[in-house]
Amino acid sequence: MSLDRTFVDIPPYAQTAFEVLESAGFEAWIVGGFIRDTLMGRSDNVRDIDMATSATWRETKRAFIEAGFSVHETGTDHGTVTVVIERHALEVTTYRVDGMYTDSRHPDTVSFASTIEEDLARRDFTINALAYHPCKGLVDPYGGAADIEKRVLRTVGDPPQRFAEDALRILRGCRFASQLGFDFEPATFDAMRAAKSKTLALSRERVSHEIDLFITGSHVHDALLRCVDVLAPVLPELVALEGFDQKSVFHCYDVLEHTAWVVHNTPAHPLVRWAALLHDIGKPAACYESDGVRHFRGHPEISVIIGRGLLQRLGYSPKFIEQVLALVRRHDERIAATRKAVKTALRDLNGDTALFIALCQLKRADAMAKAPEYRMRVQTCDALLDILSEILAAEEPFTRSGLAINGNDVIALGVAPGPEVACALDAALDAVIEEEAENSLDDLVSFVEAWISSR
Ligand code: ATP
Ligand code: MG
């Protein structure tokens, strides 16, 4: 056993979990991402704590229930229960070794082990094969702490075998590169590339989960350029962007590198990052070259077509897909820094201010990733957000429901109930946005009366 007295700050609820398991006569260790992230000083990023124990899941459950905590049977087939302590969920899993894998996805059998060292041997990367105990210190049989210092991703054991067992590890490797900014140990990377087609066997839920984490990583620019080939089976649409020269004064990068910068320049939320990843994916198909200059007229619509297929294949919800594609479709549209133009854009987005903010973030990120002399549009994007704040503060309308007149008023004026009502209200909204009418009941009654007589 390689033990190290490294000090890791353990939150009180995890201390409680140690006390419960140890006073019931079992061993317990904190394992996985919490130890990795804490050693890296990334403890803010820790979402969950994973514990490994010598107790069976039934013994774990009994010990926590007797101590007065609630326990959920979240994965008893592989020995996992989730314990809730002070509103924190803690996953507790029995020491285990995985049996043979014949499908690159699930171990055929799971057998339970008796030592933490056996348990660490089944883990994917050395940086994740660390266990910590507040009195016993760090167990690090594979040099994970040194790999964290060297900022390198290396499998536990033989890389081809570990990726053949479970292809999810290939995608996890890519996402750790994006989240942590680590490079790959060469044999690990070679094996990822060689085994990449096995990722096709993974469920789309697991793939989309890893890709979401990949694109929201803070080192996504470098990771995308590095991993585009490994990710090709799950994201084949990206391959055509690599090395695709834009031959345009607006651009200093190929489409892939431009895309990587745009993703990097947006806030780390899946919606805007997906839109950034897909915004120019239609460029190779839209490309028209004349006199050595490339034009990409219509590329946003082609990006929408390609993006829809990609997101549907990965199983995203129809609502999420439509939001991403609304951003992709509009990323290249000019929005002047005026109240009228901002309200028109808000109206076109059905009044969804969050989507408008995401659109501004995308446009800003896109402007920043152009050739240096074309980055001035960043300022316009900032101005759009200031104007949005003014519009919201002044409660100026940009949807039908913000108007001082409603459907009943319009019907009372003689518009037939049905689709005509929406037409009348839309005309009123346009008039208010264009500053041709005030947003007052009197003004809008006059406007609708004139609208009716002009029909
Ligand atoms: P995160 O910060 O996303 O929680 P994590 O490394 O903790 O990262 P989990 O999915 O919570 O990831 O898994 C906990 C631990 O279980 C990992 O650190 C790793 O040791 C092990 N593990 C998870 N998935 C695999 C896998 N597919 N193959 C081998 N070990 C795995
Ligand atoms: Mg975890």
Side-chain angles (χ1 to χ4, degrees), residues 372-385:
E373 53 278 29
Y374 293 97
R375 291 180 191 170
M376 63 284 184
R377 284 190 205 153
V378 168
Q379 278 126 37
T380 316
C381 299
D382 294 338
L384 295 178
L385 290 175

Side-chain angles (χ1 to χ4, degrees), residues 272 349 352-362 385 388 392:
V272 68
L349 294 169
D352 187 335
T353 49
L355 203 55
F356 179 79
I357 293 169
L359 181 60
C360 294
Q361 291 166 340
L362 175 63
L385 290 175
L388 172 69
L392 294 176

Side-chain angles (χ1 to χ4, degrees), residues 60-275:
T60 303
K61 181 173 174 183
R62 194 179 318 123
F64 281 100
I65 293 214
E66 279 172 9
F69 298 103
S70 57
V71 176
H72 303 277
E73 294 181 16
T74 44
T76 51
D77 284 353
H78 27 86
T80 304
V81 292
T82 301
V83 178
V84 183
I85 305 175
E86 297 161 16
R87 296 212 213 124
H88 293 276
L90 217 123
E91 280 206 348
V92 186
T93 304
T94 309
Y95 295 158
R96 61 175 233 235
V97 282
D98 295 338
M100 287 287 291
Y101 288 73
T102 41
D103 62 356
S104 302
R105 279 183 295 175
H106 310 290
D108 302 340
T109 53
V110 169
S111 43
F112 295 104
S114 49
T115 65
I116 185 67
E117 286 79 5
E118 285 173 277
D119 180 85
L120 293 177
R122 74 168 168 92
R123 295 178 183 271
D124 50 3
F125 296 97
T126 60
I127 62 166
N128 293 337
L130 295 163
Y132 182 76
H133 183 282
C135 306
K136 299 180 204 163
L138 193 67
V139 185
D140 179 13
Y142 303 101
D147 282 345
I148 287 175
E149 259 176 47
K150 285 187 263 173
R151 302 176 66 80
V152 72
L153 287 158
R154 177 198 315 272
T155 54
V156 170
D158 177 51
Q161 186 193 331
R162 301 314 309 283
F163 295 127
E165 285 169 3
D166 181 2
L168 189 71
R169 294 171 188 155
I170 298 170
L171 302 185
R172 282 173 58 88
C174 296
R175 75 106 147 166
F176 288 124
S178 179
Q179 290 180 320
L180 310 176
F182 286 14
D183 202 351
F184 299 99
E185 178 265 330
T188 294
F189 193 61
D190 278 354
M192 286 168 73
R193 289 173 51 217
K196 64 181 178 176
S197 65
K198 291 189 184 296
T199 56
L200 288 172
L202 297 168
S203 75
R204 56 194 198 170
E205 290 76 18
R206 298 178 92 192
V207 172
S208 56
H209 176 72
E210 292 303 326
I211 302 296
D212 283 348
L213 295 174
F214 177 81
I215 62 173
T216 51
S218 36
H219 303 268
V220 62
H221 169 272
D222 295 356
L224 183 56
L225 297 183
R226 187 88 166 106
C227 298
V228 66
D229 171 47
V230 173
L231 294 173
V234 293
L235 298 174
E237 296 86 347
L238 289 178
V239 174
L241 309 187
E242 191 172 21
F244 194 88
D245 187 339
Q246 311 217 42
K247 297 189 186 170
S248 149
V249 290
F250 299 118
H251 288 284
C252 53
Y253 305 119
D254 71 18
V255 184
L256 183 68
E257 179 146 29
H258 167 75
T259 298
W261 279 122
V262 179
V263 176
H264 176 92
N265 292 340
T266 51
H269 300 303
L271 173 66
V272 68
R273 289 239 161 148
W274 265 112

Side-chain angles (χ1 to χ4, degrees), residues 331-406:
H331 80 266
D332 220 18
E333 283 173 12
R334 288 273 179 96
I335 304 174
T338 66
R339 281 160 106 107
K340 279 187 201 174
V342 169
K343 283 187 273 187
T344 304
L346 284 162
R347 180 201 63 194
D348 294 347
L349 294 169
N350 298 320
D352 187 335
T353 49
L355 203 55
F356 179 79
I357 293 169
L359 181 60
C360 294
Q361 291 166 340
L362 175 63
K363 290 172 75 62
R364 185 181 204 286
D366 195 11
M368 282 169 72
K370 297 215 155 108
E373 53 278 29
Y374 293 97
R375 291 180 191 170
M376 63 284 184
R377 284 190 205 153
V378 168
Q379 278 126 37
T380 316
C381 299
D382 294 338
L384 295 178
L385 290 175
D386 293 340
I387 294 170
L388 172 69
S389 306
E390 290 166 21
I391 292 169
L392 294 176
E395 297 183 7
E396 292 174 24
F398 45 81
T399 60
R400 286 178 209 153
S401 60
L403 288 172
I405 196 166
N406 65 26

Side-chain angles (χ1 to χ4, degrees), residues 31-34 36-37 46-50 91 128 172 175-176:
V31 289
F34 177 83
R36 177 196 70 223
D37 290 341
V46 175
R47 288 180 305 274
D48 56 12
I49 291 191
D50 303 299
E91 280 206 348
N128 293 337
R172 282 173 58 88
R175 75 106 147 166
F176 288 124

